Amino acid sequence: TASIKSLKAELAKRIVKVTFLKKDGTITTRFATCASNFVGKYINGRGVCSDVRNVVSFVDIEAEGENKWRSFRYEKLISWE
């Protein structure tokens, strides 16, 4: 959808506040980005392209630990700013 394309374009440039419905039914808000200066060190190139699965993948800049990648399905997006 247009909203997903706009979201992905913004994720590539900056940190975006994203709210979505998790698998367990809870609503969560994350500070997400795909900007290369943030995500470069977390890319290993072994995953399946998220577009194939209708999923938005991003780095959660507030996440603890080594794995900061998070994702949600397109239809679970509530809002972003």
Side-chain angles (χ1 to χ4, degrees):
T1 66
S3 181
I4 294 295
K5 284 185 180 183
S6 298
L7 170 59
K8 287 184 171 190
E10 289 302 309
L11 284 169
K13 295 187 279 190
R14 65 181 180 91
I15 296 168
V16 179
K17 182 178 175 182
V18 180
T19 302
F20 58 93
L21 186 66
K22 291 173 54 175
K23 270 188 197 176
D24 67 6
T26 59
I27 294 173
T28 189
T29 298
R30 303 280 191 217
F31 289 91
T33 190
C34 292
S36 59
N37 57 326
F38 284 98
V39 303
K41 64 184 172 186
Y42 301 113
I43 294 174
N44 64 22
R46 293 185 307 216
V48 175
C49 177
S50 58
D51 287 335
V52 172
R53 300 173 298 154
N54 292 330
V55 169
V56 175
S57 296
F58 60 91
V59 167
D60 179 348
I61 64 162
E62 295 181 327
E64 300 290 325
E66 287 293 310
N67 184 7
K68 297 181 183 294
W69 285 101
R70 303 289 181 266
S71 64
F72 62 90
R73 297 190 56 79
Y74 291 174
E75 65 271 15
K76 302 297 184 180
L77 176 65
I78 295 171
S79 66
W80 64 272
E81 53 186 83

